[in-house]
Amino acid sequence: MEVKLSDGSVIPMEMHKIKIVQQTNLASIEKRKEAIRSAGFNTFLLHSRDVFLDMLTDSGTNAMSDNQQSSMLIADDAYAGSESFFRLEKSVQEIFGLRYVIPAHQGRACEHLLSHVYVRPGTSVITNYHFTTTKAHINLSGGDVLELITDAGRETASSEQFKGNMDLDLLRETIQSHGKDKIAFIRMEATTNLIGGQPFSMENLKAVSEIAKAFGIMTIMDCSLISENAYFIKTREAGFADKSIQAIIQEMIVQVDLIYMSGRKSTMARGGLIATNNEKVYREILPHVPVFEGFITYGGMSTKEIEAIAVGMREMVDPDIAGSGAEFIKYFVNRLADFGVPVVTPPGGLGCHIDAKKFVPHIPWYEYPAAALASAVYLVTGSRGMERGSLSMDRTPDGQEEPSDMELLRLAVPRRTFTMSQLEFMADRIAWLYRNRNLIHGLRWVDEPPVLRFFIGRLESTDGWEDSLEAAFKADFVDSR
Ligand code: F0G
């Protein structure tokens, strides 16, 4: 919910109160420099105890509600036929309107199952935009990924409200040029994570679905951030203002053959699932679940988390909860924009994204500007974000580096977790960093893993620039925080 103050400004209003807190720690900049060096300038390798605000991701880091927590106490720990699973199935049936539910331990496990069953060497998956784990699984099954995002989606600063839309002309052309039998499926990601959590419109989804049907190609929707995409449809697309989030979600879901999701985002718990109304598809996937995940009534999830997702699904369609994360993000993005910091606009569904190409234009893409910026932001705020740029791209099969369309530093805003004063602190320190941006230089590899290298790879600064950044920071902030 948003409220208007007497001066006309609009602020997000949290419709919850805080019952349990976790103490956090803002170490001195000397300590932070030591920590980022020993983490190989990779924010994934920082220890959580050295992090003030953990903005690495909104995945599995959202605050659960009292209802979610209490549901975990009644989890039924049966290997087979658990009551917890049937409660999840009921939520999926009621909220999504889907009959068949396949549990999996998290989103990428769903992607593994779907790639294993439907992607063959020489086939392609068409998508509005790839996600790292999705692409890895499709590639590991021998397929490739064709991204048909519209031009607006590749622009960081834009007034286009639906940057996650698929280019429909390109879709028709691509199907025709590849041949429909070479397309394993069409995947729409709601909201589109790597370009800044940007939504697609209902109109675009319906058009994609119609084209897919005309060619007889299966459509899949990644629903990891479905509540946020539905909220953007409600608030940005004509004709949806009076519809409920649940009605919008159902209208989205009937457009596709199958959905999957990471339960770690919109539903604020930890797990994943695939769901469909198509019995044939269900039967094609189901036998693989006990091989890779676990029995078909837990799929690798703890029954406690299954209960929490079942409740989280109901919360994500609650009018006081749906969109509250997005409103918080909007506030943060606007604060940074007020300071002139180049951010992705319009604000998206999972965090604030800083455009590193504009923030540190002097760092070439092959020295990973967004990763360097992530380290610099850690140095000046004690808080960590995640690189979403060329470092998050793996090398091509012939070993070449592949530049990313965008070089983004993502500062995720987990739902119900941070406060306004924390966001104000972040905005202030990042504005200081922007004024001192010339002190940030590039990174180079020390240890580069062959796949999903951004997770555990280690780097170093090209010229020890962290020392000069530390000195400048200490000159302005006496307590070095
Ligand atoms: N699809 C989308 C759109 C995602 O954002 C993620 C995860 C996945 C699939 C994979 O799900 O993590 O449960 O296996 N996104 C996380 C992030 C990792 O930080 O954005 P998972």
Side-chain angles (χ1 to χ4, degrees):
M1 192 168 100
E2 288 178 324
V3 292
K4 201 172 206 174
L5 302 183
S6 7
D7 67 0
S9 60
V10 173
I11 57 167
M13 183 53 66
E14 301 89 338
M15 296 302 288
H16 56 254
K17 55 184 182 176
I18 296 168
K19 252 202 254 199
I20 289 194
V21 295
Q22 177 182 352
Q23 195 168 357
T24 184
N25 168 41
L26 179 52
S28 67
I29 191 162
E30 292 92 338
K31 185 89 212 315
R32 282 152 19 199
K33 190 177 75 174
E34 223 173 88
I36 196 72
R37 277 184 175 157
S38 43
F41 288 79
N42 181 347
T43 52
F44 276 98
L45 300 182
L46 286 165
H47 290 211
S48 161
R49 65 169 173 265
D50 294 326
V51 174
F52 173 46
L53 304 178
D54 199 343
M55 298 185 148
L56 185 73
T57 177
D58 63 330
S59 167
T61 55
N62 304 288
M64 280 196 196
S65 67
D66 48 0
N67 285 327
Q68 285 182 292
Q69 291 273 343
S70 58
S71 75
M72 294 169 94
L73 293 174
I74 56 158
D76 175 19
D77 277 330
Y79 185 94
S82 163
E83 271 306 299
S84 302
F85 174 73
F86 297 117
R87 280 191 277 269
L88 174 64
E89 193 182 56
K90 193 154 180 270
S91 282
V92 174
Q93 288 167 351
E94 286 175 17
I95 309 292
F96 284 172
L98 294 173
R99 164 80 190 81
Y100 301 107
V101 181
I102 298 171
H105 79 271
Q106 61 184 78
R108 70 200 68 186
C110 305
E111 292 164 345
H112 175 221
L113 289 165
L114 294 170
S115 301
H116 185 73
V117 176
Y118 295 113
V119 178
R120 294 282 164 268
T123 62
S124 301
V125 170
I126 292 178
T127 182
N128 48 348
Y129 207 76
H130 82 280
F131 184 68
T132 51
T133 55
T134 328
K135 187 174 180 187
H137 280 297
I138 293 165
N139 291 160
L140 286 171
S141 292
D144 71 348
V145 174
L146 306 171
E147 291 168 321
L148 307 188
I149 195 85
T150 53
D151 290 343
R154 287 194 164 86
E155 277 165 31
T156 47
S158 169
S159 55
E160 165 60 49
Q161 300 295 296
F162 291 103
K163 295 202 301 187
N165 278 356
M166 190 177 274
D167 184 323
L168 300 172
D169 292 332
L170 212 50
L171 175 60
R172 283 187 209 92
E173 279 168 33
T174 308
I175 298 172
Q176 265 150 2
S177 63
H178 281 66
K180 74 175 177 64
D181 297 333
K182 291 277 183 215
I183 309 297
F185 51 82
I186 297 173
R187 168 183 178 273
M188 289 293 277
E189 187 177 303
T191 63
T192 316
N193 187 328
L194 292 190
I195 59 163
Q198 299 294 322
F200 52 74
S201 66
M202 186 73 85
E203 188 187 6
N204 187 255
L205 177 64
K206 285 182 176 171
V208 168
S209 158
E210 219 167 89
I211 296 169
K213 276 199 191 100
F215 284 98
I217 300 172
M218 180 162 78
T219 43
I220 293 181
M221 183 157 60
D222 179 335
C223 286
S224 306
L225 288 138
I226 184 82
S227 172
E228 286 72 14
N229 203 117
Y231 170 79
F232 290 130
I233 288 176
K234 182 178 170 73
T235 51
R236 296 181 185 177
E237 188 165 353
F240 289 91
D242 296 331
K243 292 194 178 172
S244 69
I245 294 290
Q246 180 166 337
I248 295 171
I249 286 179
Q250 292 202 357
E251 196 172 331
M252 292 167 78
I253 283 178
V254 294
Q255 309 305 324
V256 296
D257 296 306
L258 175 158
I259 67 102
Y260 76 92
M261 69 174 196
S262 166
R264 302 169 61 91
K265 290 181 178 256
S266 282
T267 69
M268 297 167 284
R270 295 157 203 92
L273 60 88
I274 297 171
T276 180
N277 272 333
N278 184 324
E279 190 181 347
K280 177 175 167 286
V281 164
Y282 173 68
R283 293 197 179 285
E284 281 165 353
I285 301 167
L286 197 66
H288 301 278
V289 178
V291 183
F292 294 119
E293 296 298 309
F295 191 65
I296 57 167
T297 53
Y298 75 93
M301 280 185 277
S302 110
T303 52
K304 291 187 177 55
E305 298 287 349
I306 292 177
E307 295 280 1
I309 295 178
V311 175
M313 286 193 63
R314 296 180 191 282
E315 291 183 0
M316 76 174 181
V317 297
D318 181 314
D320 279 342
I321 299 176
S324 58
E327 286 157 1
F328 227 64
I329 290 163
K330 182 166 95 182
Y331 179 82
F332 186 27
V333 167
N334 288 341
R335 289 299 287 140
L336 282 165
D338 289 346
F339 287 119
V341 175
V343 280
V344 169
T345 53
L350 62 95
C352 167
H353 293 69
I354 299 180
D355 184 349
K357 277 189 190 172
K358 292 184 186 155
F359 198 113
V360 277
H362 51 281
I363 304 179
W365 67 268
Y366 49 83
E367 287 183 5
Y368 313 117
L373 183 57
S375 291
V377 166
Y378 173 71
L379 277 167
V380 305
T381 65
S383 306
R384 67 171 161 185
M386 187 192 293
E387 192 267 3
R388 298 279 69 164
S390 297
L391 192 128
S392 292
M393 303 284 286
D394 281 334
R395 287 178 187 263
T396 56
D398 60 353
Q400 295 304 307
E401 283 270 19
E402 202 175 351
S404 171
D405 291 327
M406 292 184 183
E407 301 289 349
L408 303 180
L409 167 61
R410 179 181 83 179
L411 296 167
V413 182
R415 294 156 194 80
R416 310 189 283 212
T417 305
F418 298 135
T419 63
M420 295 268 277
S421 47
Q422 291 170 334
L423 295 187
E424 289 293 338
F425 166 81
M426 288 299 291
D428 175 78
R429 293 300 190 269
I430 292 169
W432 178 91
L433 186 63
Y434 188 54
R435 293 192 294 275
N436 291 276
R437 58 191 175 276
N438 287 332
L439 296 173
I440 312 169
H441 300 158
L443 300 177
R444 63 175 165 242
W445 286 108
V446 173
D447 175 18
E448 183 186 349
V451 67
L452 294 179
R453 62 186 185 172
F454 63 91
F455 276 129
I456 56 171
R458 307 185 80 86
L459 301 100
E460 62 186 5
S461 64
T462 47
D463 59 359
W465 53 262
E466 64 277 20
D467 288 327
S468 18
L469 186 60
E470 179 195 9
F473 187 85
K474 277 160 93 172
D476 284 355
F477 299 99
V478 199
D479 68 353
S480 80
R481 298 185 195 193

PDB file of all heavy atoms in Angstrom, residues 27 119 437:
ATOM      1  N   ALA A  27      30.416  -3.317   9.982  1.00  0.00           N
ATOM      2  CA  ALA A  27      31.837  -3.319  10.323  1.00  0.00           C
ATOM      3  C   ALA A  27      32.500  -2.051   9.782  1.00  0.00           C
ATOM      4  O   ALA A  27      31.953  -1.368   8.912  1.00  0.00           O
ATOM      5  CB  ALA A  27      32.499  -4.550   9.729  1.00  0.00           C
ATOM      6  N   VAL A 119      13.965 -30.634 -23.694  1.00  0.00           N
ATOM      7  CA  VAL A 119      15.018 -30.040 -24.539  1.00  0.00           C
ATOM      8  C   VAL A 119      15.934 -31.145 -25.072  1.00  0.00           C
ATOM      9  O   VAL A 119      16.401 -31.991 -24.311  1.00  0.00           O
ATOM     10  CB  VAL A 119      15.847 -29.001 -23.737  1.00  0.00           C
ATOM     11  CG1 VAL A 119      16.959 -28.420 -24.595  1.00  0.00           C
ATOM     12  CG2 VAL A 119      14.937 -27.890 -23.208  1.00  0.00           C
ATOM     13  N   ARG A 437      33.253   8.141  -8.217  1.00  0.00           N
ATOM     14  CA  ARG A 437      33.257   6.924  -9.035  1.00  0.00           C
ATOM     15  C   ARG A 437      34.566   6.672  -9.772  1.00  0.00           C
ATOM     16  O   ARG A 437      34.887   5.529 -10.082  1.00  0.00           O
ATOM     17  CB  ARG A 437      32.090   6.952 -10.029  1.00  0.00           C
ATOM     18  CG  ARG A 437      32.076   8.149 -10.967  1.00  0.00           C
ATOM     19  CD  ARG A 437      30.742   8.198 -11.699  1.00  0.00           C
ATOM     20  NE  ARG A 437      30.568   9.360 -12.536  1.00  0.00           N
ATOM     21  CZ  ARG A 437      30.137  10.553 -12.121  1.00  0.00           C
ATOM     22  NH1 ARG A 437      29.868  10.745 -10.835  1.00  0.00           N
ATOM     23  NH2 ARG A 437      29.975  11.554 -12.962  1.00  0.00           N
TER      24      ARG A 437
END
